[in-house]
Every structure is written in C-alpha cells, then in structure tokens.
Amino acid sequence: MPYLAKAALVRAHNAPVVVETITVADPQRDELTIRLQACGVCHSDLSVVTGTLPLPPPVVLGHEGMGQVVAVGAGVTGFAVGDSVLSSFISMCGQCRWCSSGRPELCNLAAKSVSTLPDGSLRTTDAAGQRLSIFSGCGVMAEYATLHVSNVVAIDATGVAPECCALVSCGVMTGWGAAVNTARVVAGSTCVVFGAGGVGLNAIQGCAMSGAAAIVAVDPNDAKLTLARAFGATHTLAPEPGQDVAKALRKLTGGGADYAFECVGLGSVLAQAFGCLRKAGTAVMVGVARPDDQVSVRCSSLLFEEKTLTGSLYGGARPRVDFPRLLGLYQAGRLKLDELVTRRYSIDDAPQAFDDLASGRNARGVIVF
Ligand code: APR
Ligand code: ZN
C-alpha cells in the first residue's frame, strides 16, 4: 500500500521551500521503503533551492536521512523490516570500474540518479498525481521514501540519536572524509579549512583526528569560528572585505599550509586555498560550486612547487565501510556528533530550517520526524 508522507519540496528556484503531503509508492525490485526518523538540512539542499545545483523542480529535498526499513522489494538481500539505515546520496552499482577500484563515489550509476532512482523512474507523486523528482536518488526530507538498495546503508545505531546518525550520511562523511580519505592528512601537518559549517567542522575534526599540529578555520561568521575551536581548530581567521586572505594565511601558518580544504562552494575561495599552500601542499575542493564557476591557477606553481589541486566528492566515501566506521568512532567517544546539531525542526518547519541555514544560524539544523 502506498504511503502518504509530509515532504519538503522545491517548487520553484529561489522561492521558499514548501511542505506538502506526497504519495510514496511501494518498493519495486531492488528497492526499499524507509520511514524517516531524522534528516539533516545541508547546504547542498539549499543549492537545489537556489539552482546552484541545477535540478528542474519539482524536487523532493533531502539526502542526509536516517530511518527504519518498513518494506523490502523483491530481490533485496541483507535488509529486513525494522533495520536502521542511512541514505547514501550516491548509487553504488558495485560493478563499474569505479566501484571495483574502491571509489564508489564516482560510480557510473550515480550520474544517472541525480534526480530519480538509478533506472530513471520515480515512486513519488503529489496530490494531483504529478511525478516529483528526488534529490540525488534520495528525497529523504519526507516521512517516507522509497530508495534503490544501492542508496541505502544498514547501520548499528545503538546509543546514537537519530539526528546524529543522519549527519553521518552527508556532512560528517563529506568533511571528515576529505581530510582522512582524500587528502590523507599526515600527523604534524598544518591545515586550513575554509567554511566552518556542517561540512567544514567535520573537515576540522578529520584533520584533528589525523594528528594535524595546526588547524586554521576561516569563516566570516564569528559564531562558526567559536564552534571550529571546539572541533579542533587551533587558529581562526575571519576574513575582512578586500583582505588578501591567502597572504594572511601564509603569514599565520609560518610559510603556508600543507593542506587546504574549500568547504564553501566558491571558486574564489578555492583560489585562496591554493594560494595559502606551502611547497608540496594540497588544495581540496569539497564545496559544490555553480557549474560555470571557474578559477585559474599559476601552472608554474604546480610544477616548481609540486602542489596538488584535487576534489573530494562525498569525502571519498565508501558508505558501507565508512558510515559504520564513523558511527563506531562516535560510540567510542572519538567523534563529535551531538555538538553539530544546533536545532531540531518538525517537517512543518522546514521552510524556517532553510532560512536559518541561509543566514548561518546553525552548525546543522535537523528535521526530526
Ligand atoms: N570564506 C570562508 N567561509 C565562508 C565564506 C568565505 N568567503 N563564505 C561563506 N563562508 C562560510 C559560511 O559562513 C558558513 O559557515 O561557509 C560556511 C558554509 O557552511 P554551511 O552553510 O553549513 O554549508 P555546508 O552544509 O557545510 O556545506 C558547505 O559543502 O557539501 C557542500 O554543497 C555544500 O557547497 C556546500 C559546502
Ligand atoms: Zn549534503
């Protein structure tokens, strides 16, 4: 029987998010229906609202969800009704060269499920019967969601609040993974993290866990810099308008950073990240920029200073390995999750949650069902 679910939708770019009751169809072959308990409100959801991520509306938002399995489609193995699960916003086919080489974040299937299930179909319709797209194969800012099994990861949620679990499936994975999986930060190094939001704070704790000796958080919002210190930043910088930020950081770090992480989503900030490196440093693009956002680099500094410029998609996630790993670190008292949750909202208050995200009020706001 189909499920009626309150859900947060984008009906038009740059208009307020709307909450509607939608219909979520039963799972078909290789699919699962989950009842959501919590869903984080991530900047990437806001980027769907603004069109920075250009998905044609109407779209059901949400890609940072935690819930329980309520129905299992034919052919699904390894999941049972009642299991706690996280959504994963990349579909992992397990077959392509990227999955086979341990880089499922680059799975060929993921590109096909940007706004639908991996086979292009949808299980979501509005009250008028119109099909609704789902953000990144998920659409989990809803009371129920039917997902392909390749977008679902079973977890042991013992002792972890649903809203903390949910954050592992995007913000924590993306930030922490950029430091640990992608950059492989070496103990004793100097790191700079641009943007101390839900993603950047986790890049900071990834650097700290890797043994970085110095971590500079850069953010114009002073409240975020206070949080950054709690997550392991040793220094902070609030950039002034017109300031040469890269130069200030080279000075602050005594010659430049070994690693710099762009966790904002702006080419101009990536240029600062590249510019603040010392020789042999690595700049990592973590934020999601507009498709037309470009930046130029001095080719000779790549060569003569042997710098690296790279990207980290989803923190180089291998969700079935890394989600349990991150929850295990929390359960062992080594990873901060509670401190990320600034505010809880009901699904009816989703529009307020997006306003608060846009105005920088939260480390993370979470919809709790
Ligand atoms: N320099 C440094 N920090 C900045 C700048 C800037 N020029 N402009 C904005 N910021 C800060 C904001 O003040 C905020 O604290 O970047 C932070 C972004 O945090 P959130 O809005 O919480 O965004 P988050 O969910 O962390 O996502 C960051 O990663 O996954 C992507 O799409 C996501 O591009 C987004 C980025
Ligand atoms: Zn996200």
Side-chain angles (χ1 to χ4, degrees), residues 24-205:
V24 177
D26 290 320
Q28 298 194 9
R29 188 168 187 84
D30 295 332
E31 296 171 4
L32 297 163
T33 300
I34 63 177
R35 185 178 56 79
L36 275 297
Q37 274 197 285
C39 180
V41 185
C42 173
H43 208 105
S44 298
D45 294 297
L46 184 60
S47 294
V48 178
V49 179
T50 59
T52 294
L53 274 166
L55 268 56
V59 186
V60 182
L61 291 164
H63 62 285
E64 199 177 74
M66 185 273 183
Q68 274 81 37
V69 175
V70 292
V72 179
V76 173
T77 55
F79 291 89
V81 169
D83 283 357
S84 290
V85 295
L86 296 182
S87 61
S88 160
F89 67 83
I90 50 162
S91 304
M92 309 164 273
C93 73
Q95 312 282 330
C96 69
R97 68 175 290 166
W98 308 110
C99 285
S100 303
S101 59
R103 303 185 73 176
E105 78 278 15
L106 299 176
C107 174
N108 291 335
L109 204 58
K112 294 181 186 154
S113 54
V114 173
S115 58
T116 62
L117 295 168
D119 67 357
S121 65
L122 288 164
R123 306 282 167 259
T124 35
T125 45
D126 68 9
Q130 186 191 17
R131 281 158 41 103
L132 300 167
S133 296
I134 49 172
F135 179 32
S136 214
C138 292
V140 289
M141 206 173 285
E143 290 169 320
Y144 290 90
T146 294
L147 306 185
H148 191 267
V149 67
S150 71
N151 290 90
V152 184
V153 176
I155 55 161
D156 171 8
T158 309
V160 196
E163 53 270 44
C164 292
C165 288
L167 302 194
V168 166
S169 73
C170 175
V172 180
M173 183 69 249
T174 300
W176 185 89
V180 176
N181 288 345
T182 304
R184 295 171 190 246
V185 167
V186 168
S189 33
T190 297
C191 301
V192 176
V193 176
F194 294 84
V199 172
L201 289 170
N202 286 295
I204 291 169
Q205 68 173 337

Side-chain angles (χ1 to χ4, degrees), residues 214-229:
I215 305 169
V216 187
V218 183
D219 199 301
N221 181 335
D222 282 327
K224 299 293 177 82
L225 294 179
T226 304
L227 270 167
R229 292 228 178 231

Side-chain angles (χ1 to χ4, degrees), residues 327-347:
L327 289 165
L329 284 166
Y330 172 84
Q331 285 155 337
R334 302 203 42 215
L335 186 81
K336 288 183 168 50
L337 295 179
D338 300 276
E339 295 83 346
L340 288 167
V341 183
T342 317
R343 196 167 158 191
R344 293 158 181 82
Y345 302 83
S346 71
I347 184 68

